[in-house]
């Protein structure tokens, strides 16, 4: 992700003298990179590795030397892929990190020789894999190599400084211990001194610090303030399964972050297809070892392995799956379906089943207005009113909760998938720090930089701002655009329906628009989905309206009208 450049920072691409300074600096940094970091992956011997793998690794390390001519591109790519495959097979730990670093060096050399941007992108990804666990030898060097490469690729010294600053804060200022080398720490100091003229603004560096502050909640960073604050290994707490004939969701909850690896076993002959999630360094705890299910997931089995624990899903036939982690509390979500999202068997505008999701419930009251009107009560009433009208029109309706009970966020989309719904509407009341803000807003799932949308997502996700920001970044990484076009289309209809109805009754309506945001409740929904913020319960006028039967029926009718319009292809 490109970092914003300070307005006060020099722009080396446009200023010849600055460019000359940057190029000279870059040459010095590349030379220093070799003196401080090159060859760090070669610390471990390969006597125990199979002979073919050992030969591949030795050749890859040899070609990593900038003075050695590269063979044809196809040969280098094949060698890089072989080393990467060995790293994947290794899974986690120092050996895997070293293999990723060697593969990254090959990709970087290809980029330097041929200038193909895809090679640089691949190298950055591999360096990232090599530097995931800061306590491992070579992790700092790999992260530093990625920072130098990112800056050089962008032709921007400010970008290079920012990326190096990120590495410095993660590996040095954050106090990483273990095998992180003093040479790398010294190299980072030298890098930042040489690039001091291109230091970005304080706002940019503060943003980096804020992002790193929250990374302790992510399983991929095994050693930082969040993960290190709890003694002992991570432990499985419980496993929840929401089964279905065509789609299912399995959520693995841990007591703290941990790394994980995903693999699949294709069905052969009479054997079932299986998906494995290996949890490195995780204790089994007291969870049930085996849970029989029906539908697409036939069995969920948990077992100990030599690296930690494994969760195994036995599937009914071939299946599509997606696995991702969520913070606060840390859990791993496994979504399984017969077909990828968007590859549905019926028409894209057929709407025969709708899931209405009344936000919050039970111990989770949601927002509370100035005079005590409670969000969870409003959303349930609106959902009940909309459901009655939809059923009268021949549409099957499922409510994620039918009374005042707590329903986990991950369970809501899972229920919609199991129901094979055609639309998913999550109903909420908005709130803000001040009481003046008002209006109707509708949200669709996406990573967002909109400050207001981010604040709303933080509240609805029940997360800290840093964790919610991590979720937004994760959504961007997952590229969750499977139903984005249809979701946006429905959201616009819903927004228009609500604001039109309010304007007709009250003479005016504040148009909050359709916004993208990182709402966890929508993650994994296999159908078009939207989150409807009916009005601001924190605003005295809108709270009074939300407390009235007429206004709740107006909002319910707006939902029904939007569904009808979407069904008719408007």
């Amino acid at each position: 992700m490109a970092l914003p450049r300070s307005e006060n920072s020099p722009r080396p691409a446009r200023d010849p003298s600055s460019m000359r300074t940057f190029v000279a600096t870059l040459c010095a940094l590349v030379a220093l990179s070799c003196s401080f970091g090159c060859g760090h992956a070669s610390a471990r011997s390969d006597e125990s590795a199979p002979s073919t793998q050992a030969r591949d690794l030795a050749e890859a390390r040899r070609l990593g030397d900038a003075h050695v001519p590269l063979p044809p591109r196809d040969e280098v790519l094949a060698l890089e892929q072989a080393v990467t495959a060995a790293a994947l097979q290794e899974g986690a730990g120092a050996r895997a990190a070293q293999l990723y670093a060697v593969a990254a060096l090959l990709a970087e050399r290809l980029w330097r020789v041929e200038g193909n941007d895809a090679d640089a992108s691949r190298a950055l990804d591999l360096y990232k894999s090599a530097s995931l666990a800061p306590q491992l030898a070579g992790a700092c060097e790999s992260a530093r190599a990625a920072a130098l490469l990112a800056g050089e690729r962008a032709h921007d010294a400010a970008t290079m400084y920012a990326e190096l600053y990120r590495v410095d804060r993660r590996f040095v200022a954050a106090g990483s211990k273990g095998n992180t080398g003093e040479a790398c720490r010294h190299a980072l100091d030298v890098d930042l001194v040489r690039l001091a003229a291109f230091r970005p603004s304080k706002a940019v560096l503060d943003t980096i610090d804020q992002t790193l502050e929250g990374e302790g909640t992510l399983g991929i960073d095994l050693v930082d303030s969040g993960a290190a604050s709890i003694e002992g290994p991570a432990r499985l707490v419980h496993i929840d399964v929401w089964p279905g004939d065509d789609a299912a969701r399995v959520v693995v909850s841990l007591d703290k972050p941990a790394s994980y690896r995903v693999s699949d076993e294709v069905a052969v002959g009479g054997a079932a297809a299986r998906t494995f999630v290996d949890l490195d360094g995780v204790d089994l705890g007291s969870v049930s070892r085996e849970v029989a299910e029906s539908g697409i997931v036939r069995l969920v089995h948990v077992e100990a392995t030599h690296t930690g624990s494994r969760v195994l899903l036995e599937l009914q036939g071939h299946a599509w799956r997606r696995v991702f982690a969520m913070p606060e509390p840390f859990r791993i979500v496994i979504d399984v379906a017969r077909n990828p999202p968007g590859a549905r068997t019926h028409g894209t505008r057929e709407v025969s089943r709708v899931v209405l999701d009344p936000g919050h419930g039970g111990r989770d009251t949601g927002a509370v207005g100035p005079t005590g009107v409670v969000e969870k009560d409003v959303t349930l009433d609106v959902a009940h009113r909309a459901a009655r009208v939809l059923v009268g029109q021949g549409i099957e309706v499922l409510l994620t909760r039918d009374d005042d009970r707590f329903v986990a966020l991950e369970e809501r989309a899972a229920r919609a998938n199991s129901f094979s719904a055609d639309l998913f509407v999550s109903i909420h009341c908005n709130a803000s720090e001040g009481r003046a803000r008002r209006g109707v807003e509708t949200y669709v799932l996406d990573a967002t930089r909109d400050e207001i949308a981010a604040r709303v997502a933080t509240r609805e996700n029940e997360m800290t701002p840093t964790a919610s920001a991590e979720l937004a970044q994760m959504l961007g990484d997952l590229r969750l655009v499977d139903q984005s076009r249809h979701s946006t289309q429905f959201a616009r209809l819903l927004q228009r329906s609500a604001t039109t109805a309010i304007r007709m009754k009250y003479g005016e309506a504040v148009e909050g628009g359709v916004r993208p945001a990182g709402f966890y409740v929508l993650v994994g929904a296999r159908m078009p989905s939207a989150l409807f913020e009916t009005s601001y319960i924190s605003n005295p006028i809108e709270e009074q309206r939300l407390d009235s039967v007429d206004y709740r029926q107006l909002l319910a009718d707006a939902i029904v009208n939007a569904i009808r319009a979407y069904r008719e292809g408007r």
Side-chain angles (χ1 to χ4, degrees), residues 168-491:
D168 179 70
R169 296 293 286 172
R170 182 178 172 209
F171 286 86
V172 180
S176 293
K177 298 179 181 179
N179 295 322
T180 302
E182 288 297 326
C184 182
R185 299 185 183 206
H186 176 59
L188 287 168
D189 290 340
V190 173
D191 294 343
L192 293 172
V193 169
R194 288 176 177 270
L195 286 170
F198 303 99
R199 179 186 176 94
S201 68
K202 183 178 184 298
V204 172
L205 301 182
D206 285 347
T207 299
I208 294 174
D209 287 341
Q210 291 167 9
T211 301
L212 290 174
E213 183 181 356
E215 287 187 355
T217 59
L218 291 176
I220 57 174
D221 282 334
L222 302 180
V223 173
D224 59 24
S225 57
S229 62
I230 306 175
E231 294 295 333
R235 181 174 57 87
L236 274 171
V237 177
H238 55 83
I239 297 178
D240 297 304
V241 183
W242 290 278
D245 291 337
D246 298 317
R249 170 170 283 187
V250 178
V251 177
V252 181
S253 298
L254 282 69
D255 65 351
K256 65 179 179 179
S259 63
Y260 64 93
R261 294 172 283 121
V262 184
S263 58
D264 302 287
E265 190 174 278
V266 180
V268 178
R274 300 192 293 178
T275 289
F276 306 92
V277 178
D278 288 300
L279 305 164
D280 297 318
V282 175
D283 288 342
L284 283 179
S286 58
V287 298
S288 300
R289 297 298 190 265
E290 194 163 281
V291 179
E293 295 292 344
S294 59
I296 189 170
V297 177
R298 301 197 309 194
L299 180 73
V300 179
H301 176 76
V302 183
E303 62 188 17
T305 67
H306 68 282
T307 61
S309 302
R310 166 176 283 183
V311 179
L312 181 154
L313 276 61
E314 188 173 294
L315 309 175
Q316 186 185 69
H318 297 287
W320 170 92
R321 58 92 175 148
R322 176 164 53 204
V323 182
F324 56 95
M326 295 298 302
E328 295 187 0
F330 185 82
R331 59 245 195 241
I332 298 167
V333 181
I334 310 165
D335 283 333
V336 180
R338 297 201 185 280
N339 299 295
R344 306 188 61 156
T345 56
H346 51 68
T348 58
R349 304 308 289 275
E350 177 185 345
V351 180
S352 59
R353 291 184 172 189
V354 171
V355 169
L356 299 178
D357 172 45
H360 309 280
R363 65 177 184 270
D364 176 16
T365 61
V368 179
T371 66
V373 178
V374 180
E375 179 180 2
K376 67 174 182 177
D377 298 334
V378 176
T379 60
L380 183 61
D381 190 23
V382 171
H384 276 144
R385 292 172 182 277
R388 284 195 290 269
V389 180
L390 290 170
V391 169
Q393 296 179 358
I395 295 176
E396 294 182 65
V397 180
L398 171 71
L399 270 63
T400 56
R401 65 179 181 95
D402 200 28
D403 52 23
D404 185 19
R405 71 178 64 192
F406 176 79
V407 180
L409 292 176
E410 57 263 32
E411 183 176 350
R412 297 173 187 254
R415 289 187 177 185
N417 291 338
S418 298
F419 187 59
S420 297
D422 301 298
L423 277 175
F424 178 69
V425 187
S426 190
I427 304 168
H428 293 260
C429 299
N430 218 334
S432 67
E433 293 84 351
R435 294 185 177 183
R437 191 168 184 83
R438 54 191 297 200
V440 178
E441 298 166 8
T442 308
Y443 291 84
V444 293
L445 181 64
D446 198 358
T448 180
R449 295 183 181 181
D450 185 294
E451 182 179 0
I452 296 173
R455 287 182 180 179
V456 175
T458 295
R459 182 174 62 81
E460 301 295 1
N461 289 335
E462 304 165 15
M463 294 177 178
T464 62
T466 51
S468 195
E470 290 163 7
L471 170 59
Q473 181 61 47
M474 181 273 291
L475 295 179
D477 293 341
L478 284 177
R479 295 176 173 84
L480 294 175
V481 295
D482 308 311
Q483 297 290 348
S484 62
R485 183 169 61 87
H486 293 299
S487 295
T488 301
Q489 189 172 12
F490 172 69

Side-chain angles (χ1 to χ4, degrees), residues 370 431-439 441 508 510 535-543:
S432 67
E433 293 84 351
R435 294 185 177 183
R437 191 168 184 83
R438 54 191 297 200
E441 298 166 8
E508 55 84 28
V510 178
S535 295
Y536 275 80
I537 200 170
S538 54
N539 178 278
I541 295 175
E542 294 198 340
E543 181 201 25

Side-chain angles (χ1 to χ4, degrees), residues 137 149 228 237 356 494 500:
L149 176 57
V237 177
L356 299 178
L494 179 55
T500 299

